């Protein structure tokens, strides 16, 4: 697939800068989109089917040194970190002053950069001084680089519990804990996986052909209990509804044998699975997801589930009707995979 095939235009004002509850829902069946309510969607998930969610929790890792924004990605020693920040004007050896007396020194350029702190910092430090790493397009649309207080709850799912992500699994932001209890009460099986959203979220696809794109690996855990429920549903002709692209990649990584483990002990490991048109889905039957940015691997995944022609036509339909886009935007539901 060519990257240019994943392009589309949209009015900037459709970029959502805050959640809208309940969100609007685009339901796609037989390649035809229609608008339904969130309650309609929940009513269409029958008893006996399985809904799988991602329980990752977003880390507060965005720290400001004056007007320089630094995203702390990975600790490699007591005081050494891999980070992302605009380092073009800084030479190796340059230092920046962070809050609470912490000094950061650049020791290696690249993407990510390697830095050394003058002291060890704990999770408590980030809780005090860091912000959630909101997508840059939200900051741009708000004309505001810092988060607002409400983002603390807006940008975490109702079931976030396993810290490790640099972005929220945003399809889950449409649902409350009460919604999940209502589904469970009517007999829908609810399961969790963990996928920690990584560095790739912040980096654009630069390869002209998607086959040449190097996906950054992301950590996944799928428990034996979750896999048993999913497998049992499939054996009995029930549908597996995946809430988000991260959940989809988790389940399909198991289906493709990409993780360590077995059905008795569960699966874990790192995945670099890139889903695009031509991919044959092995686990997921229904995909619930947000509207994604042009030229993104997330949009390629949706096109792989449906078809590129259908996705572009449905996006055009939604944009004409002013559906809200991207992380804080509205929800779409795709009901069949491309065979």
């Amino acid at each position: 697939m060519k990257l240019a095939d994943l392009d589309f235009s949209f009015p900037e004002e459709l970029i959502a800068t805050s959640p809208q509850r309940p969100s609007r829902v685009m339901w796609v069946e037989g390649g035809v989109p229609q608008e339904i309510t969130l309650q309609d969607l929940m009513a269409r998930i029958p008893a006996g089917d399985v809904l799988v969610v991602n329980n990752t929790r977003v880390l507060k890792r965005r720290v400001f040194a004056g007007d320089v924004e630094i995203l702390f990605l990975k600790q490699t020693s007591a005081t050494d970190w891999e980070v992302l920040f605009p380092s073009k004007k800084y030479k190796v050896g340059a230092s920046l002053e962070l809050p609470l007396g912490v000094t950061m020194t650049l020791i290696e350029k690249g993407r990510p950069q390697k830095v050394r702190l003058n002291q060890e910092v704990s999770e408590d430090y980030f809780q005090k001084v860091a912000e959630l790493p909101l997508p840059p397009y939200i900051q741009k649309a708000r004309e505001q680089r810092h988060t607002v207080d409400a983002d603390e709850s807006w940008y975490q799912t109702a079931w976030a519990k396993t810290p490790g992500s640099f972005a929220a699994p945003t399809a889950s932001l449409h649902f409350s804990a009460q919604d999940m209890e209502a589904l469970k009460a009517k007999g829908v099986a609810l399961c969790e996986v963990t996928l920690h959203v990584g560095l790739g979220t912040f980096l654009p696809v630069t390869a002209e052909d998607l086959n040449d794109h190097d996906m950054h690996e992301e950590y996944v855990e799928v428990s034996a209990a979750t896999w048993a429920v999913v497998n049992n549903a499939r054996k009995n002709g029930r549908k597996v509804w995946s809430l988000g692209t991260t959940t989809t990649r988790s389940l399909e990584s198991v289906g493709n044998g990409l993780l360590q483990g077995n059905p008795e002990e569960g699966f874990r490991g790192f995945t670099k699975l890139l889903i695009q048109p031509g991919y044959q889905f092995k686990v997921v039957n229904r995909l619930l997801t947000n509207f994604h940015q042009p030229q993104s691997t997330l949009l390629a995944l949706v096109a792989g589930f449906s078809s590129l022609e259908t996705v572009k036509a449905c996006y055009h339909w939604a944009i004409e009707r002013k559906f809200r886009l991207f992380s804080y935007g509205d929800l779409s539901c795709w009901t069949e995979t491309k065979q």
Side-chain angles (χ1 to χ4, degrees), residues 1 6 26 28 244-245 248 275-277 281 287-292 296-312 314-315 332-334 336-338:
M1 163 168 273
L6 295 169
M26 179 180 74
V28 182
T245 58
T248 300
I275 296 176
Q276 59 178 310
F281 282 79
L287 172 62
L288 304 168
T289 189
N290 282 31
F291 291 89
H292 299 295
S296 65
T297 57
L298 305 179
L299 187 60
L301 184 152
V302 182
F305 189 86
S306 180
S307 74
L308 181 61
E309 182 183 22
T310 298
V311 169
K312 293 186 90 165
C314 291
Y315 269 47
S332 64
C333 179
W334 306 82
E336 67 263 319
T337 58
K338 172 99 173 147

Side-chain angles (χ1 to χ4, degrees), residues 90-141:
Y90 296 97
K91 294 181 179 179
V92 171
S95 295
L96 289 87
E97 295 301 318
L98 309 186
L100 302 183
V102 176
T103 301
M104 181 186 89
T105 302
L106 179 62
I107 59 175
E108 186 178 316
K109 288 199 160 193
R111 185 180 277 184
Q113 299 91 10
K114 295 181 180 179
V115 301
R116 181 163 294 146
L117 306 183
N118 67 332
Q119 58 185 279
E120 192 170 349
V121 296
S122 64
E123 184 60 33
D124 183 58
Y125 175 79
F126 291 112
Q127 288 300 319
K128 287 178 180 174
V129 308
E131 299 181 11
L132 290 168
L134 282 190
Y137 55 78
I138 291 181
Q139 299 174 46
K140 182 180 176 184

Side-chain angles (χ1 to χ4, degrees), residues 62-332:
R62 194 161 59 110
V63 178
F64 284 83
D67 63 351
V68 178
E69 187 176 324
I70 303 150
L71 182 64
F72 281 77
L73 297 171
K74 181 181 179 182
Q75 188 173 16
T76 55
S77 74
T79 56
D80 288 5
W81 285 80
E82 292 181 356
V83 303
L84 273 184
F85 78 106
S87 62
K88 190 174 181 180
K89 67 179 182 180
Y90 296 97
K91 294 181 179 179
V92 171
S95 295
L96 289 87
E97 295 301 318
L98 309 186
L100 302 183
V102 176
T103 301
M104 181 186 89
T105 302
L106 179 62
I107 59 175
E108 186 178 316
K109 288 199 160 193
R111 185 180 277 184
Q113 299 91 10
K114 295 181 180 179
V115 301
R116 181 163 294 146
L117 306 183
N118 67 332
Q119 58 185 279
E120 192 170 349
V121 296
S122 64
E123 184 60 33
D124 183 58
Y125 175 79
F126 291 112
Q127 288 300 319
K128 287 178 180 174
V129 308
E131 299 181 11
L132 290 168
L134 282 190
Y137 55 78
I138 291 181
Q139 299 174 46
K140 182 180 176 184
R142 286 178 175 175
E143 298 182 346
Q144 181 177 344
R145 292 180 65 195
H146 291 276
T147 56
V148 298
D149 289 345
D151 288 316
E152 294 282 330
S153 59
W154 285 348
Y155 203 61
Q156 296 282 13
T157 69
W159 43 86
K161 64 184 181 186
T162 309
S165 274
F166 295 106
T170 53
S172 292
L173 301 180
H174 301 280
F175 295 89
S176 66
Q178 291 75 21
D179 292 331
M180 292 300 158
E181 288 302 316
L183 288 170
K184 194 187 298 184
K186 79 170 192 175
V188 176
L190 299 180
C191 297
E192 295 181 357
V193 300
T194 303
L195 182 144
H196 294 319
V197 186
L199 173 64
T201 296
F202 297 91
L203 300 179
V205 179
T206 55
E208 290 185 11
D209 190 312
L210 222 54
N211 289 325
D212 298 327
H213 175 61
D214 182 23
M215 287 283 283
H216 284 79
E217 63 182 17
E218 294 174 311
Y219 182 72
V220 181
E221 287 188 14
V222 179
S223 69
T226 288
W227 192 243
V229 172
V230 167
N231 254 342
N232 186 57
R234 289 178 58 80
K235 286 177 184 175
N236 290 302
R238 310 304 306 189
K239 302 299 184 188
V240 177
W241 300 66
S242 180
L243 187 52
T245 58
T246 60
T247 303
T248 300
R249 291 180 66 243
S250 301
L251 295 171
E252 293 294 323
S253 291
V254 177
N256 282 282
L258 301 179
L259 304 179
Q260 303 292 318
N262 55 62
E264 289 72 37
E265 298 176 347
F267 302 88
R268 64 183 61 201
F270 290 88
T271 184
K272 297 182 76 170
L273 178 63
L274 170 60
I275 296 176
Q276 59 178 310
Y279 176 84
Q280 295 298 313
F281 282 79
K282 297 173 175 62
V283 183
V284 174
N285 308 111
R286 301 282 186 267
L287 172 62
L288 304 168
T289 189
N290 282 31
F291 291 89
H292 299 295
Q293 292 187 87
Q295 299 193 0
S296 65
T297 57
L298 305 179
L299 187 60
L301 184 152
V302 182
F305 189 86
S306 180
S307 74
L308 181 61
E309 182 183 22
T310 298
V311 169
K312 293 186 90 165
C314 291
Y315 269 47
H316 179 73
W317 180 93
I319 288 167
E320 279 192 329
R321 285 157 182 79
K322 301 190 183 310
F323 274 70
R324 302 162 79 249
L325 303 179
F326 311 147
S327 291
Y328 279 155
D330 291 318
L331 183 65
S332 64

Side-chain angles (χ1 to χ4, degrees), residues 54-65:
N54 184 2
N55 66 16
T56 189
R57 186 170 187 84
V58 186
L59 299 167
K60 295 176 74 172
R61 285 289 187 272
R62 194 161 59 110
V63 178
F64 284 83

Side-chain angles (χ1 to χ4, degrees), residues 11-31:
E12 294 285 325
E13 61 265 23
L14 292 186
I15 298 175
T17 57
S18 62
Q20 175 178 285
R21 299 205 170 99
S23 60
R24 297 170 69 188
V25 180
M26 179 180 74
W27 174 274
V28 182
E29 188 166 7

